[in-house]
Amino acid sequence: MKLLTRIADTLNKNLAVLAVVVSAFALIVPSVWVWLASRISIDLSSVPLVGAHFPSLGFVNILLGIVMLGMGMTLRAEDFALILKRPGEVFLGVCCQYILMAGFGFLVAELLKMTGIGGPELCAQLAVGLVLLGCVPGGTAANVMTFLAKGDVPLSITIIMSGTLAAPVLTSGLVLLLAGQWVEISFLNMFFSIAFVVLMPIILGLFIHHIAGNRIEPYKKILVLISTTCVLLIIGTCVGTNRSSFTENGIAVVAVSVAAVLLQHILGLISGYAAARFFHMDKNKAHTISLDTGLQNSGLSCTLANSAFPGTMVVLPCVLATVIHQVIGPIAANHFAKHAGENA
């Protein structure tokens, strides 16, 4: 157990570097990831109602589901109680995740379209990817970064949990509202994707935690190790299976996409902090809201891009975000830790 704990801590401390290494390896040797993605899937085509809109769980879907299962297994009753004890703070955090980031996704998408990079069709696909990235809830990486930033971890967990549970309706609806003008979007396709990949694993994890109780505590580090490994596999698979998105459209398209994703997330980090301070929250809570706003669930956005918009460049901003998050997150967390308030 001590060895697993040491490995989990090492992975978490070096996640940014590992994300870049895995991404580079996936670009150089994409065949490994293509093979995994083609061999591992769960057929859902025979499931009534669901099969018509979400016919299979792919490799990335399964990995993200495992991460969400681990999240559910680590949630406690106190995490839900916090919604009742501090409803204003939780509500603000969820609003920042969806309203601010979705708005910035749309704004940056419009700016990207003005560049005309790659032609109208390619621009429209990249724009949808940016909107999709802004409409997903915050990711579990925000919880880790909040801890490193000496922020309010219980608040962060509750905000991410609340935003994630609302994702089937809010993410699907916002993408349809903001990006439906550029490409055809199926609300039900996205709804069932999120329900199967995110909502159901979390509910199952909660059920397991309810049955197991405190007996699950000694295994939390193993859950962290599994989740971190799955995150790295998601990054590798997203990059490897979409290698053509990086190589066939020119370095200019990738560079502009990187700049757009980076701008979107910097705006999210700044505006989340500003919103919290506007409502008179202390520095540590403001740091928490900032990280929960700026660090979205990029793995979910990749999953949705692959299932709802297969064979398009919609996935490129989402794939880039999986790497950018692991770089910008620790930078923001270290900055916040140096300026933490007295009650950190």
Side-chain angles (χ1 to χ4, degrees):
M1 186 66 72
K2 288 183 178 179
L3 177 61
L4 291 175
T5 299
R6 200 173 298 121
I7 294 172
D9 290 339
T10 302
L11 285 178
N12 281 325
K13 289 177 181 177
N14 298 282
L15 192 54
V17 175
L18 288 171
V20 174
V21 171
V22 170
S23 299
F25 175 71
L27 286 173
I28 297 170
V29 190
S31 56
V32 174
W33 309 97
V34 172
W35 184 87
L36 285 171
S38 64
R39 292 293 189 278
I40 303 175
S41 64
I42 299 174
D43 183 20
L44 300 176
S45 59
S46 60
V47 178
L49 184 62
V50 175
H53 302 284
F54 190 55
S56 67
L57 275 172
F59 184 50
V60 172
N61 302 89
I62 294 169
L63 291 171
L64 186 59
I66 293 172
V67 174
M68 293 298 104
L69 176 66
M71 176 182 175
M73 290 175 67
T74 56
L75 291 175
R76 303 165 299 170
E78 298 94 296
D79 300 324
F80 293 91
L82 202 63
I83 298 175
L84 301 177
K85 292 178 181 178
R86 298 155 67 180
E89 296 173 359
V90 176
F91 181 72
L92 176 63
V94 174
C95 285
C96 286
Q97 282 184 2
Y98 283 107
I99 296 175
L100 291 180
M101 282 305 285
F104 288 135
F106 182 78
L107 174 63
V108 175
E110 288 287 358
L111 291 174
L112 182 140
K113 286 181 65 185
M114 289 172 62
T115 67
I117 191 78
E121 184 178 352
L122 181 59
C123 269
Q125 293 176 9
L126 293 174
V128 173
L130 289 167
V131 169
L132 176 59
L133 185 60
C135 293
V136 294
T140 52
N143 300 150
V144 178
M145 294 306 137
T146 298
F147 173 76
L148 296 178
K150 302 179 182 178
D152 192 330
V153 177
L155 177 62
S156 176
I157 292 172
T158 307
I159 290 172
I160 298 299
M161 175 194 67
S162 302
T164 302
L165 293 175
V169 173
L170 291 183
T171 297
S172 305
L174 283 169
V175 172
L176 179 62
L177 175 66
L178 297 175
Q181 58 183 306
W182 299 321
V183 296
E184 184 178 349
I185 294 170
S186 170
F187 175 86
L188 288 177
N189 183 307
M190 298 191 71
F191 177 88
F192 284 118
S193 296
I194 301 171
F196 263 85
V197 175
V198 176
L199 196 58
M200 289 181 62
I202 289 178
I203 293 173
L204 178 60
L206 287 168
F207 178 74
I208 294 173
H209 195 170
H210 175 73
I211 298 299
N214 291 332
R215 285 174 292 179
I216 209 166
E217 292 297 322
Y219 302 100
K220 278 192 173 181
K221 281 292 183 181
I222 297 178
L223 293 175
V224 171
L225 176 60
I226 293 172
S227 294
T228 305
T229 303
C230 285
V231 168
L232 291 172
L233 288 173
I234 287 172
I235 292 172
T237 305
C238 288
V239 173
T241 56
N242 294 284
R243 182 175 181 267
S244 60
S245 299
F246 292 86
T247 59
E248 293 181 1
N249 294 284
I251 190 66
V253 171
V254 176
V256 169
S257 300
V258 169
V261 172
L262 193 57
L263 174 61
Q264 181 177 349
H265 286 49
I266 290 174
L267 288 172
L269 289 166
I270 294 172
S271 63
Y273 180 86
R277 295 298 279 175
F278 179 81
F279 286 99
H280 308 294
M281 291 187 179
D282 64 36
K283 278 188 175 183
N284 300 320
K285 290 178 182 176
H287 295 162
T288 302
I289 299 291
S290 171
L291 292 166
D292 286 358
T293 303
L295 302 179
Q296 302 298 88
N297 192 335
S298 53
L300 175 58
S301 68
C302 287
T303 296
L304 294 175
N306 280 320
S307 59
F309 311 101
T312 70
M313 287 288 283
V314 170
V315 75
L316 181 59
C318 306
V319 171
L320 291 172
T322 61
V323 180
I324 289 173
H325 278 177
Q326 307 307 329
V327 177
I328 195 173
I331 292 173
N334 289 334
H335 173 76
F336 288 152
K338 292 177 182 177
H339 298 86
E342 292 181 359
N343 60 336

